[in-house]
Amino acid sequence: MSEAPAAPRPVSAEPVRTADFDLLVTPPRARTGWRVLPARVAAMCAVELQKLRHDRTELYTRAIQPALWLLIFGETFTRIRAIPTGGIPYIDYLAPGIIAQSAMFIAIFYGIQIIWERDAGILTKLLVTPTPRAALITGKAFAAGLKALIQAIVVVVIAALLGVALTWNPLRLLGVAAAVVLGSAFFSCLSMTIAGIVLTRDRLMGIGQAITMPLFFGSNALYPVAVMPGWLQAISTVNPLSYQVDALRGLLLGTPSHVLLDFGVLAVAAALGIISASSLLGRLAR
């Protein structure tokens, strides 16, 4: 007895579109150039968030130093009134400077990570991909900005608990976030530029420690520019940290500031930092 004929295969009710079939035969063109930049930045930020999720101790340990600055230095100088602050308590005046300082301390040693990636062979693999070098540096720079932003939130919470009169205007807080990210992007690019010159972690650590305190004390984070000696005022004028502190102080406290100039300087500094670090990235990977 012969077998019964097989039932015919059901035909899909929806016709196969030519475009879908073409995607199976010819893969979509890979994104190149400027189109890679947003994806790379998002990927680097996601990596940093994953690191923080698996190890939150960094947030707690890095909160100790700014807390000490606000608790000891801020409270003491508020009592003695030794520094003119335009009629606001010194601890209020100090808080934006400590936010900028803590963000800078995170970013200024970011070059150590890229040297570690070079030693582990990760950087070489990244450089052979179609991703532009500027996109890699930009992604790392804004990942550093994201870490600094989380640190800034911790400092703002500490300052609020200490009674600092901060604004809670959402638009101003967005401006604060932008200032923190731009400033951190510049200092992380500065660190990666130095890494491309010195090539070793030990040298980078030494240079980073040598420049962090001059950058901090050569800014308006602790005292107004008007009370500085002339030579220190000249240094403060070319110090991007001064513009970051000025923007944070104006946004958080409502004090007179030059917010547009501050953001312009920070944006130009971040762009120049990305260009400088990108040009030295190949030397680091040799």
Side-chain angles (χ1 to χ4, degrees):
M1 189 174 183
S2 61
E3 293 184 4
R9 256 183 216 178
V11 180
S12 173
E14 296 183 2
V16 178
R17 292 180 297 180
T18 307
D20 295 339
F21 182 74
D22 290 341
L23 286 176
L24 296 175
V25 177
T26 306
R29 183 179 298 178
R31 288 177 293 183
T32 57
W34 64 269
R35 289 177 292 179
V36 178
L37 188 59
R40 179 58 59 188
V41 172
M44 291 295 175
C45 291
V47 169
E48 294 301 326
L49 283 177
Q50 288 291 332
K51 291 179 182 178
L52 289 176
R53 192 182 72 172
H54 292 297
D55 184 12
R56 296 185 179 90
T57 56
E58 184 180 358
L59 289 178
Y60 308 140
T61 54
R62 288 190 179 275
I64 295 174
Q65 186 177 17
L68 290 176
W69 273 100
L70 290 173
L71 279 170
I72 299 175
F73 198 84
E75 291 285 357
T76 301
F77 276 77
T78 298
R79 290 175 179 272
I80 64 177
R81 299 179 181 177
I83 299 176
T85 57
I88 63 174
Y90 182 72
I91 192 171
D92 292 24
Y93 182 88
L94 180 65
I98 299 305
I99 292 173
Q101 179 223 41
S102 61
M104 180 188 70
F105 280 12
I106 288 176
I108 203 67
F109 293 105
Y110 213 76
I112 295 175
Q113 178 177 332
I114 202 169
I115 293 178
W116 177 86
E117 290 180 353
R118 186 226 24 215
D119 295 341
I122 299 173
L123 184 59
T124 303
K125 295 177 182 178
L126 289 174
L127 289 177
V128 298
T129 64
T131 305
R133 293 179 181 181
L136 290 172
I137 293 296
T138 304
K140 290 183 176 295
F142 281 93
L146 182 63
K147 292 182 70 174
L149 183 58
I150 296 173
Q151 179 67 35
I153 293 172
V154 174
V155 178
V156 166
V157 171
I158 295 173
L161 292 175
L162 292 175
V164 176
L166 302 174
T167 183
W168 299 107
N169 184 307
L171 292 178
R172 287 180 174 268
L173 292 178
L174 284 176
V176 169
V180 169
V181 170
L182 284 174
S184 301
F186 165 73
F187 287 115
S188 63
C189 286
L190 175 63
S191 179
M192 289 185 281
T193 299
I194 297 172
I197 297 173
V198 301
L199 302 178
T200 64
R201 280 176 282 185
D202 293 338
R203 291 177 182 174
L204 177 60
M205 181 69 74
I207 293 175
Q209 291 175 343
I211 65 175
T212 48
M213 297 314 291
L215 284 169
F216 178 50
F217 287 110
S219 72
N220 57 352
L222 298 178
Y223 29 68
V225 176
V227 304
M228 298 179 184
W231 61 270
L232 192 56
Q233 290 184 13
I235 293 175
S236 178
T237 303
V238 296
N239 186 355
L241 188 64
S242 295
Y243 297 92
Q244 185 182 17
V245 173
D246 187 66
L248 292 174
R249 200 166 276 147
L251 291 168
L252 285 172
L253 303 179
T255 58
S257 60
H258 311 85
V259 177
L260 292 179
L261 174 63
D262 297 333
F263 275 99
V265 171
L266 290 174
V268 171
L272 292 176
I274 290 171
I275 294 171
S276 176
S278 301
S279 64
L280 292 170
L281 190 61
R283 183 175 185 269
L284 184 65
R286 288 173 192 166

